[in-house]
Every structure is written in C-alpha cells, then in structure tokens.
Amino acid sequence: MKRTGIVVTALSATLSATALLAPAAGAAPPPPPGASEAAQHLGALTVAPEGSSTGYSRDKFPHWITQSGTCNTREVVLKRDGANVQTDSSCAAVSGTWHSPYDGATWTLASDIDIDHMVPLAEAWRSGASSWTTSRRQAFANDLSSSQLWAVTDNVNQAKGDKDPAEWTPPLASFRCMYARSWIDVKYRYGLTIDPAEKTALNGLLGAC
C-alpha cells in the first residue's frame, strides 16, 4: 500500500508517485450550501435505520459514463480538479498535479487518484437508492453538478469504503466541515435517508464549522 503525505526530498522530481505536502492549485466540485443551510437540510432528512445491502452491486450504478467525445466522468473530474492536466487523444490524463482534500497530499500521477463518491454507492443503496431506476442510479454515480465527486488519494478513499460520517471522517480535520456539508447536500438532493448515528455525527461536524 502506498504511503500518504510523506515529506518530499530532492529526489521528488524523479519520484512522480510520491505524495507532496505543498498545496496545489486546482478546481473542485460545485460547492455545497453553507453550514447554516446544511443544518436546515440535515433537519429535513428522513431519519431511518439503514437498509440492507441485499441485491447491491456497483454494476447497478453504471459509471464511468461518457461525458463528451472520448472523455468519461473520471477523466472529466481529473481534469476539473487537477492543475496543469494534460490528456492524450483518448482523454486519459498523462500529466498534472492533484491535491487531495481528504488528507492534504498532492500527487503527480493520475493512477494515484481515485474519484470518490461523497455518498458511497453502497451507502446510497442502503439509504433508498435500491428502489431507484438504473437511470437514476447512473445519474447519481456520475453527478458533476453537485459535490458528489472528488479527486482524492486512492488509499484514503479505500479506507473510507462505504462508511458514513459516524464511521469515518477525512484525516485532514480542516476539511471535515466541507465534508459534512457535501454529504448532507448529496443526501438532500437525492432524498436519501440517514440513520440516527449518522445524523448525530453530521450535527457534530457542522458544529465545528
């Protein structure tokens, strides 16, 4: 497993897969509402026990779909969230710099970056998406219009898995307010439920904004 956030030495120019600690320029997903509005939206969400994972498959949330030309959703997010991103004729990112907001690390290989679903697909399934059409699940899994998709360090994303904020929060404490606001925004937009522990955790994160 790759190390995250290690200090860069003079050899960093030749170690493009090494995480840097300096911030990098780059865009981000569309911002969620501020903390006050997020709290209102949190209060409007239906609180219910988390549902079953029975029947869940990532294949039921088709991704990454073509967005334009040869570019799929992952490639669009890599270009959107990176700095100085260069792509080849198939739209694959061949160079660039990506700053992961979850842990503060910066990467120079696209292969070190995962595109994270803020609300994981399995979590969405257990929160109401199991009753959606495949078309709606596809829209959810490829949503560029909200704060659902983030370019982040791959092993940090893997540590998150399908956990909700009662079970996992980003290592970088300064991002946790944005994380809570984004999580709430996605669940609110899609009418997904939250469980009691999840709501308590989100209230706590908003309180620290």
Side-chain angles (χ1 to χ4, degrees), residues 6-209:
I6 61 175
V7 176
V8 178
T9 69
L11 295 177
S12 61
T14 60
L15 299 177
S16 61
T18 301
L20 317 181
L21 293 182
S36 177
E37 187 174 352
Q40 294 175 12
H41 289 174
L42 177 59
L45 292 176
T46 298
V47 179
E50 195 165 86
S52 170
S53 294
T54 300
Y56 168 71
S57 166
R58 290 178 66 85
D59 292 340
K60 293 184 177 180
F61 294 79
H63 67 289
W64 305 112
I65 63 170
T66 300
Q67 293 291 339
S68 64
T70 60
C71 300
N72 66 26
T73 308
R74 170 182 164 83
E75 292 158 345
V76 170
V77 175
L78 284 172
K79 189 156 189 179
R80 180 195 71 186
D81 290 7
N84 302 314
V85 177
Q86 300 296 317
T87 58
D88 63 17
S89 59
S90 67
C91 202
V94 294
S95 64
T97 305
W98 292 270
H99 177 68
S100 168
Y102 287 5
D103 58 340
T106 299
W107 302 93
T108 55
L109 283 180
S111 58
D112 288 317
I113 297 296
D114 277 357
I115 306 306
D116 179 46
H117 293 96
M118 172 58 63
V119 174
L121 305 182
E123 164 69 22
W125 179 268
R126 298 189 297 264
S127 304
S130 61
S131 66
W132 292 353
T133 63
T134 299
S135 176
R136 182 162 175 78
R137 288 195 290 263
Q138 176 176 292
F140 176 84
N142 297 274
D143 186 2
L144 295 166
S145 66
S146 74
S147 52
Q148 166 70 332
L149 301 177
W150 295 79
V152 302
T153 301
D154 55 1
N155 57 345
V156 174
N157 182 46
Q158 291 152 22
K160 173 187 174 183
D162 64 354
K163 301 178 182 74
D164 70 31
E167 304 163 310
W168 187 90
T169 53
L172 192 63
S174 61
F175 186 72
R176 291 174 187 166
C177 172
M178 175 64 80
Y179 190 81
R181 289 164 47 206
S182 297
W183 183 283
I184 292 165
D185 186 39
V186 174
K187 285 225 160 174
Y188 182 79
R189 283 171 179 258
Y190 286 91
L192 295 169
T193 63
I194 54 171
D195 64 52
E198 181 184 351
K199 183 172 184 177
T200 297
L202 289 164
N203 269 318
L205 291 170
L206 287 180
C209 287

